[in-house]
Amino acid sequence: MQNRVGRGLLVLSAVLALLMAGPVTTASAETIQTGTSVCSMYVNSIGFGAYCSNGSAYIPTGNSTPPPTWRERLGGKPFIPCRDFDIPDGIRLPKAPEGKKWVMRITITDYNLDTYDGGDNAHLERAYVPVGPVEEAQCPFPNYMEPFWHQFRSSYPPPALVVMPTFTPRVNVPAFFSLTADSSKVEADPKKDPGKYSGYIDPTHNLTMRGLVVEMTIDPGDGTKPFKCAMGVTPEDDPDGYDETQDPFHQINTCKHTYKRSSANQPDDMYTVKLTITWEVSYWVGKGQGGWQPIGQANVTAVQRLPVQEAQAIGG
């Protein structure tokens, strides 16, 4: 197998429209401890991310000095365990009561100020609550509390559909579908920039989050039934899974569809292909002895306009 020369010509992102699903809920992993942080993670149809209780990374200086306790970091000021965040993208809530707005309130509970990480029992609780001035005053956020909080997020990239072996499928010739590697994987990795992410204290304590497309359902738009394609990580030298040494009728890839009629009688002479892309988000802590731990899955839908021609020739 080999990479196709001029691969960019096969990426139909110019006519690919991303459509977010309707009301969705947040699927969260249990709160985890990573170095000096307690983190709560989420995944939805927009993307994924984490809210962590201990702000920016603490990176050791090499002199074996232990990290400061939370009480030492406060310097005599009161610890305020809650913080209000904007509602994450993808969450749909009813209209807030008059004079109030929805916020996501995250509270650090069961913490021990005399530890560097809040203690073994520390965890985060989240709630979507309507707040007005009175409720906001119950959860202030002074500047000195900033180091105790951090969040990072990553959204899914726009899907870029690849069709093989030709830019325009031919009638009675199998058309093979895949997503580009760049649009089927996204990773938020604190090791790449430890000052930007929370939960990094040494090479054994860090939090990495990853989203992978694990399934894609394709409605080809010609009146036939939708079909599912298993997805996963592909080799860098063969990201589309298409063997150009073989003809379209002798491929291992099963993510394919054979159009029996051209799209000449369709709007704009193109079929409307509907995609349902299933993302699975996982996290990795420390050296990852336990491997990637799944958090949950979310679906994103998209549509593709695809011309299909009568010509039987394979070249394109």
Side-chain angles (χ1 to χ4, degrees):
M1 298 185 185
Q2 60 185 2
N3 283 335
R4 183 180 180 88
V5 177
R7 175 184 174 86
L9 296 177
L10 300 176
V11 180
L12 305 183
S13 57
V15 289
L16 190 67
L18 183 64
L19 304 174
M20 293 307 170
V24 296
T25 56
T26 298
S28 315
E30 292 184 4
T31 300
I32 62 168
Q33 194 93 19
T34 60
T36 58
S37 289
V38 180
C39 296
S40 177
M41 296 166 289
Y42 69 90
V43 52
N44 58 35
S45 65
I46 306 295
F48 59 89
Y51 297 90
C52 296
S53 66
N54 208 17
S56 301
Y58 171 80
I59 303 176
T61 60
N63 58 6
S64 300
T65 301
T69 66
W70 282 15
R71 192 180 302 278
E72 291 170 337
R73 296 173 67 181
L74 286 168
K77 300 181 182 68
F79 182 74
I80 300 174
C82 60
R83 182 178 176 184
D84 291 343
F85 294 89
D86 292 337
I87 299 295
D89 292 338
I91 302 299
R92 303 290 188 267
L93 296 170
K95 184 179 179 180
E98 186 70 26
K100 296 187 178 184
K101 64 178 182 179
W102 287 103
V103 298
M104 182 177 67
R105 177 163 291 184
I106 295 185
T107 305
I108 309 171
T109 64
D110 297 330
Y111 54 87
N112 181 349
L113 294 180
D114 295 314
T115 64
Y116 74 91
D117 59 3
D120 293 340
N121 295 323
H123 63 280
L124 302 184
E125 295 181 354
R126 77 174 68 214
Y128 303 115
V129 295
V131 299
V134 174
E135 291 83 9
E136 285 187 287
Q138 297 169 352
C139 190
F141 187 63
N143 290 338
Y144 70 83
M145 285 298 301
E146 182 71 35
F148 287 87
W149 293 93
H150 187 69
Q151 68 181 45
F152 64 90
R153 65 184 62 185
S154 183
S155 57
Y156 307 124
L161 188 66
V162 177
V163 181
M164 299 292 278
T166 62
F167 181 87
T168 302
R170 312 304 197 210
V171 170
N172 294 324
V173 177
F176 294 83
F177 300 90
S178 64
L179 292 174
T180 64
D182 290 342
S183 68
S184 58
K185 178 181 179 182
V186 61
E187 190 169 292
D189 188 350
K191 291 182 289 184
K192 295 177 181 177
D193 186 357
K196 184 178 180 181
Y197 295 98
S198 185
Y200 185 93
I201 182 172
D202 58 42
T204 65
H205 293 90
N206 56 71
L207 169 64
T208 301
M209 296 185 71
R210 180 184 73 176
L212 287 177
V213 176
V214 295
E215 185 178 84
M216 181 167 63
T217 301
I218 301 175
D219 181 342
D222 59 354
T224 59
K225 293 182 179 180
F227 58 95
K228 293 183 178 182
C229 297
M231 308 289 283
V233 179
T234 57
E236 290 185 4
D237 61 349
D238 180 37
D240 50 40
Y242 188 85
D243 186 353
E244 294 184 44
T245 65
Q246 301 292 328
D247 63 55
F249 300 95
H250 298 85
Q251 296 286 328
I252 298 177
N253 188 352
T254 59
C255 188
K256 63 182 180 179
H257 179 70
T258 301
Y259 287 92
K260 300 298 184 181
R261 299 185 304 275
S262 77
S263 57
N265 63 344
Q266 299 294 310
D268 300 321
D269 297 329
M270 290 184 289
Y271 286 116
T272 299
V273 180
K274 298 178 182 179
L275 309 175
T276 301
I277 301 165
T278 302
W279 285 88
E280 181 175 88
V281 176
S282 305
Y283 71 94
W284 179 295
V285 175
K287 293 184 177 180
Q289 290 90 342
W292 289 99
Q293 303 297 316
I295 301 172
Q297 294 184 346
N299 289 337
V300 176
T301 59
V303 294
Q304 166 77 57
R305 303 301 305 284
L306 188 64
V308 176
Q309 294 183 354
E310 286 283 4
Q312 301 297 309
I314 296 174

